[in-house]
Amino acid sequence: MDASDLSLLPPDIAEASRSFEEQLAACNSLDALLRLKGTFTGREHSHAARLMEALKAAPKEQKKDLGALANQLKQAWEAGIKARQDGLEAARRRAAELAAKMDPDLPPPMPMRGALHPLQRLQDRLVDIFASLGFHVEEGPEIETEAHNFDGLNIPGDHPARGSSDTFYLEQHPELLLRTHTSPVQVRVLRRLAPELDARGGIRFVAPGRVYRKDDIDPTHSPMFHQVEGMLVGKGIGMHHLKGTLEYAMRALFGPDTRIRLRPSYFPFVEPGAELDVSCPLCAGKGCRVCKGSGWVELLGAGLIHPNVLRYAGIDPETWSGFAFGLGVERTAMMVSQTPDLRLFFENDQRFIRQMGGLD
Ligand SMILES: [Zn+2]
């Protein structure tokens, strides 16, 4: 005898029995389950009750098989309904527990919030560090004159950086270009503040912003990137002031054990000029892939302001001197985060931004 042998049953009960599991699964509440229970195993008019009647009325030779089948079906229905009831009651308890735990004073679950881009946050952090040393923030236009971008910075007319292969010039206004560095802000600020220099006793500012070079985009180049540039003018300013300031800033940025070193280098707008290396923040100077085993990473260019730059701004280099420095924000971010490809910072892939801590 097999419970699937339903041919002995009245046709409507056989049909109901076949769809029992499906109807059971569709019961998403205890009320619905109770109705199903009444239909299948209720005391009166249920499929089970009618089976008993059918059993009574059945011819003698069918009674044994039909009786066994009726029993099997009734037990299966009761067991199924009981299991479903247990599941629904457990779910109701869980919901009640959760509701009891819910704090109506807490804010509701919110959709994902936006946040500042990792590059912006690094730039803000750099600005904050220098602000703590009394540097204020200056900004300048991204479309600049050749005079501000090159002439005022002691970059001669035949310098390769001025070529149309390196710089975006505006077609209708060939004397205008997209600034290739944040340094023209130096020229603007020095010229603006030169008349007040005696009264102010000096100048110190940082200039963060977007700059443009005629580079094809690849893992380490982009035609647009960001720099933070800084400058200080005062009396008797020398390399020791530059070194002390940058050492403080690099320790604030990378940690108190960070060491720096300056290597002689050439930039037209400083004299002497230097490249600044920091002890590799990833391996603490022991040597790793990022610092190519040397323990040092090259981070920024700096130097004492060239007398020609001061003169161009109307400042007497016999009385005043100063230092300047500039670093690439993307380059620094890539190094700190070990990001091998610059383009990731511009693609706005949320998985990357979130990994950088830019999204909740
Ligand atoms: Zn390293």
Side-chain angles (χ1 to χ4, degrees), residues 1 36 59 64 82-83 94 102 109 112 114 122 159 174 181 183-184 195 203-204 217 225 254 263 307-308 333 339:
M1 179 67 219
L36 188 77
K64 194 179 162 218
K82 176 74 171 66
R94 276 197 303 277
M102 192 196 80
M112 192 170 65
L122 176 60
H159 195 280
H181 45 189
S183 308
I203 301 170
R204 57 181 87 173
I217 189 150
F225 57 100
F254 296 118
R263 283 179 294 109
N308 286 348
T339 302

Side-chain angles (χ1 to χ4, degrees), residues 280-293 295-296:
C280 176
L282 297 167
C283 66
K286 288 186 199 76
C288 70
R289 199 173 49 85
V290 171
C291 59
K292 298 184 181 78
W296 296 93

Side-chain angles (χ1 to χ4, degrees), residues 4-32:
S4 65
D5 180 14
L6 303 176
S7 59
L8 294 171
L9 300 178
D12 62 327
I13 297 184
E15 182 56 40
S17 177
R18 274 186 211 101
S19 65
F20 173 72
E21 289 296 334
E22 198 181 314
Q23 292 189 58
L24 187 66
C27 289
N28 286 321
S29 69
L30 285 168
D31 282 349

Side-chain angles (χ1 to χ4, degrees), residues 237-248 260 262 272-274 276 300-304 322-325:
I237 299 299
M239 286 301 276
H240 52 309
H241 295 108
L242 171 65
K243 194 176 175 193
T245 303
L246 291 180
E247 190 174 66
Y248 171 86
I260 67 164
L262 293 168
L276 176 130
L300 56 81
L304 297 186
F323 63 72
F325 56 86

Side-chain angles (χ1 to χ4, degrees), residues 169-181:
Y169 289 87
L170 271 64
E171 245 171 36
Q172 307 296 320
H173 302 274
E175 75 287 2
L176 295 178
L177 47 84
L178 296 181
R179 66 179 180 186
T180 60
H181 45 189

Side-chain angles (χ1 to χ4, degrees), residues 335-351:
M335 197 193 71
V336 175
S337 62
Q338 288 198 64
T339 302
D341 194 327
L342 171 66
R343 292 171 290 193
L344 284 165
F345 284 101
F346 302 131
E347 283 169 355
N348 283 331
D349 184 327
Q350 294 195 353
R351 292 167 301 178

Side-chain angles (χ1 to χ4, degrees), residues 45-254:
H45 310 303
S46 68
H47 298 320
R50 287 185 48 229
L51 266 180
M52 288 302 124
E53 286 159 20
L55 183 59
K56 264 184 224 162
K60 205 174 172 189
E61 65 277 16
Q62 280 188 9
K63 275 194 200 285
K64 194 179 162 218
D65 284 350
L66 187 59
L69 177 59
N71 248 343
Q72 250 173 342
L73 283 177
K74 201 176 166 213
Q75 280 171 15
W77 294 340
E78 280 168 351
I81 287 166
K82 176 74 171 66
R84 184 77 181 148
Q85 189 174 346
D86 289 349
L88 287 171
E89 279 172 352
R92 193 164 69 170
R93 271 196 307 278
R94 276 197 303 277
E97 278 164 24
L98 265 181
K101 270 192 226 157
M102 192 196 80
D103 183 344
D105 293 330
L106 286 175
M110 298 293 278
M112 192 170 65
R113 281 185 303 167
L116 289 177
H117 191 275
L119 291 176
Q120 183 65 50
R121 289 187 303 133
L122 176 60
Q123 183 173 301
D124 289 352
R125 203 161 141 219
L126 285 161
V127 167
D128 285 347
I129 290 168
F130 286 101
S132 74
L133 293 171
F135 287 65
H136 71 273
V137 176
E138 291 279 357
E139 285 179 314
E142 290 170 23
I143 297 174
E144 264 295 3
T145 62
E146 258 196 301
H148 283 135
N149 197 78
F150 295 124
D151 299 328
L153 292 161
N154 198 38
I155 299 171
D158 58 356
H159 195 280
R162 301 181 72 136
S164 58
S165 59
D166 282 358
T167 301
F168 293 108
Y169 289 87
L170 271 64
E171 245 171 36
Q172 307 296 320
H173 302 274
E175 75 287 2
L176 295 178
L177 47 84
L178 296 181
R179 66 179 180 186
T180 60
H181 45 189
T182 41
S183 308
V185 182
Q186 293 182 16
V187 181
R188 289 174 172 273
V189 174
L190 289 182
R191 292 182 74 147
R192 191 181 84 226
L193 297 181
E196 315 165 13
L197 199 49
D198 280 320
R200 296 174 70 102
I203 301 170
R204 57 181 87 173
F205 67 90
V206 279
R210 226 175 263 130
V211 302
Y212 302 86
R213 304 267 171 97
K214 213 164 168 177
D215 281 326
D216 288 330
I217 189 150
D218 71 22
T220 53
H221 293 87
S222 161
M224 185 281 295
F225 57 100
H226 298 79
Q227 286 186 333
V228 172
E229 177 131 346
M231 175 171 260
L232 181 143
V233 177
K235 285 179 176 164
I237 299 299
M239 286 301 276
H240 52 309
H241 295 108
L242 171 65
K243 194 176 175 193
T245 303
L246 291 180
E247 190 174 66
Y248 171 86
M250 294 303 111
R251 286 182 176 167
L253 188 61
F254 296 118

